[in-house]
Amino acid sequence: MSAEIPFATIAEIRQRASRRPLHFFGRGNNAERTAGLVGIKPAVVLDNNPNVWGTTQMGVPVAGPDALASPDESKPYVVICSTSFGDISDQLSSLGFMPAEDYAVSPILENQRVVAALERLSTRIYLTSGLPPREGAGGGGIYEVAVEGSHEWRQVHRGNCHGLIRLGEGFVGIDDDLGIVEFGRDFSVLRHQPLPTGSRAHGVSYSEAARRFAVSCSFSDTVLLLDRDFRTVGEFSISQKRQRDGEPAHHINDVLAVGGSVYVSMFSLTGNWKRGIYDGGILEFDAETLQPVGPVASGLWMPHSIELVGDSMAVLDSLRGALLKNNLQEIGRFPGFMRGLSHDGRFFYVGQSRNRNLGYSVGLSNNISIDSGVVVFDEASKVSRTLYLPPAVSEIHAVVTAGD
């Protein structure tokens, strides 16, 4: 399967047609639109359907791909005019035609470029599941999803896992039993440090500028600051409610450490989610003074993952299934409970878990998905592809891509 499919510009088609025969591949309206766009008729229209061989289009013959068998000095330049351009690209490559040099896709089909990129995606995705670990496939742990057009998944670490980030050549993650863990690139455990009992560590982030990890702890309503040796160097509480009432009040989830700031997502900024008030948001803290700066987002419903994409903060408004960016405006919406977010420089990768909050979701969506997987989403075109996972991996917490 070709890694990249070239798309031609009008100028490129005209230039190549001036010095070699021009063939279109794919009989139909797109061929006529392409001829009108570039102002040139092809010498022949090729098609894989034998039922149209021997007919004409635009006054030129329609023939099968055998018409491409010609000496190298008269090798035509082929413009693909079919929406099956992926298969035809592979077909032409197998016949010795070089992408871009000998063939390309018509600019008429430019809006299909992202479709081809998603269908031919080649990457590795790593995700965590906070389910109880179990023997055999599925359950809690860390999973690798290998994507080469189609996708396959395998468990690379067993445990009740939540946060996961890249660090150098390896990874750092949260395992309920081991605490904060540094993994090699093959997910061998290089070192680990237990975290406070009963804290229920969830999210993890690392600030290169401060050389500190931030770990959000859901059961203690605190965020721990750790140095590179996993030693605790600071801690701050979201509020005093945990100390006053003896139980967590904010349901904090994920964390993002950037420079001297730490951002924390939570179900309730005021600590009232157990009373049915889901005033979720993101709260910023100063990592030096350990004091709150203030909320940077509010009005969210069960928010989770926070990421910096370029210079823009992105967050998942999880229950609504919304991806927020660009001054935290909604740029995408999905039918599941979205948790786990990554960006590889081109696409977003959004984790989708089985929705356990159906009672809340009724009225928010007319299509409540119970599937789990990773949605690969193009922000510009709004086109997406879902890499489904089996019900045995129904909970996804963190998503990390090869491009992170």
Side-chain angles (χ1 to χ4, degrees):
M1 182 171 61
S2 301
E4 190 70 26
I5 300 173
F7 280 71
T9 65
I10 297 172
E12 287 169 343
I13 295 174
R14 288 173 176 170
Q15 178 194 34
R16 286 174 169 78
S18 69
R19 50 188 174 85
R20 56 199 289 193
L22 177 65
H23 287 12
F24 286 178
F25 205 128
R27 186 187 189 281
N29 185 52
N30 286 333
E32 297 196 16
R33 292 176 62 203
T34 300
L37 183 68
V38 300
I40 304 172
K41 282 187 179 182
V44 65
V45 175
L46 306 168
D47 202 284
N48 284 319
N49 181 2
N51 292 324
V52 299
W53 298 349
T55 64
T56 62
Q57 184 177 22
M58 298 176 287
V60 303
V62 177
D66 287 348
L68 290 170
S70 59
D72 285 347
E73 58 267 20
S74 62
K75 179 186 284 187
Y77 178 70
V78 182
V79 178
I80 303 173
C81 301
S82 167
T83 54
S84 300
F85 51 77
D87 293 336
I88 295 173
S89 175
D90 291 341
Q91 182 180 359
L92 290 171
S93 294
S94 71
L95 294 172
F97 284 72
M98 299 298 296
E101 179 61 31
D102 296 327
Y103 74 86
V105 180
S106 167
I108 289 291
L109 295 168
E110 175 64 33
N111 62 353
Q112 296 291 312
R113 184 190 291 264
V114 68
V115 175
L118 287 171
E119 288 179 341
R120 291 169 170 250
L121 186 66
S122 176
T123 190
R124 292 287 189 276
I125 305 168
Y126 304 94
L127 57 91
T128 64
S129 176
L131 293 168
R134 71 184 196 187
E135 294 297 327
I142 301 175
Y143 291 84
E144 178 189 69
V145 182
V147 189
E148 293 291 342
S150 59
H151 69 283
E152 298 179 348
W153 61 276
R154 68 186 182 100
Q155 189 179 65
V156 293
H157 174 78
R158 182 177 292 115
N160 192 317
C161 299
H162 291 85
L164 184 71
I165 58 173
R166 275 195 177 274
L167 188 69
E169 293 296 314
F171 304 83
V172 169
I174 301 296
D175 180 301
D176 269 8
D177 294 328
L178 300 179
I180 184 169
V181 185
E182 181 175 2
F183 298 97
R185 62 190 305 172
D186 62 350
F187 284 93
S188 57
V189 175
L190 303 180
R191 62 188 175 113
H192 67 94
Q193 175 64 44
L195 295 170
T197 302
S199 60
R200 184 61 184 277
H202 193 286
V204 60
S205 184
Y206 180 72
S207 169
E208 189 64 51
R211 293 184 62 80
R212 288 181 180 177
F213 295 96
V215 178
S216 52
C217 300
S218 299
F219 285 179
S220 59
D221 275 349
T222 61
V223 174
L224 303 175
L225 301 179
L226 313 176
D227 64 16
R228 283 296 298 261
D229 294 321
F230 293 162
R231 294 183 299 234
T232 300
V233 295
E235 179 180 3
F236 57 81
S237 298
I238 303 304
S239 73
Q240 298 305 306
K241 286 192 171 184
R242 176 70 171 83
Q243 292 86 336
R244 185 194 70 191
D245 301 331
E247 59 182 23
H250 297 275
H251 201 307
I252 68 174
N253 293 309
D254 291 310
V255 64
L256 173 67
V258 180
S261 292
V262 177
Y263 302 90
V264 190
S265 63
M266 61 196 73
F267 279 16
S268 174
L269 291 169
T270 61
N272 285 291
W273 71 276
K274 292 182 180 179
R275 296 181 173 89
I277 299 174
Y278 285 87
D279 55 335
I282 301 171
L283 192 60
E284 179 185 4
F285 282 80
D286 186 299
E288 295 300 322
T289 66
L290 308 182
Q291 295 300 308
V293 176
V296 298
S298 59
L300 308 184
W301 205 337
M302 301 184 185
H304 281 83
S305 312
I306 320 169
E307 293 292 331
L308 200 62
V309 180
D311 295 325
S312 183
M313 182 179 290
V315 65
L316 290 176
D317 194 6
S318 299
L319 188 69
R320 292 187 176 100
L323 169 59
L324 310 182
K325 182 176 168 278
N326 303 332
N327 198 28
L328 297 184
Q329 299 301 300
E330 183 176 310
I331 63 168
R333 185 173 287 234
F334 314 98
F337 189 85
M338 312 312 289
R339 182 173 52 196
L341 179 65
S342 183
H343 193 273
D344 68 356
R346 182 172 188 181
F347 297 126
F348 279 98
Y349 296 76
V350 187
Q352 177 174 301
S353 297
R354 181 177 63 198
N355 200 321
R356 298 182 302 173
N357 301 280
L358 296 179
Y360 293 111
S361 297
V362 172
L364 288 177
S365 173
N366 290 323
N367 177 18
I368 303 170
S369 176
I370 63 169
D371 295 316
S372 62
V374 177
V375 179
V376 189
F377 175 71
D378 179 62
E379 177 183 359
S381 67
K382 309 305 181 187
V383 175
S384 71
R385 173 188 175 187
T386 301
L387 307 172
Y388 289 103
L389 294 170
V393 190
S394 61
E395 294 280 326
I396 297 174
H397 288 87
V399 174
V400 175
T401 60
D404 281 3

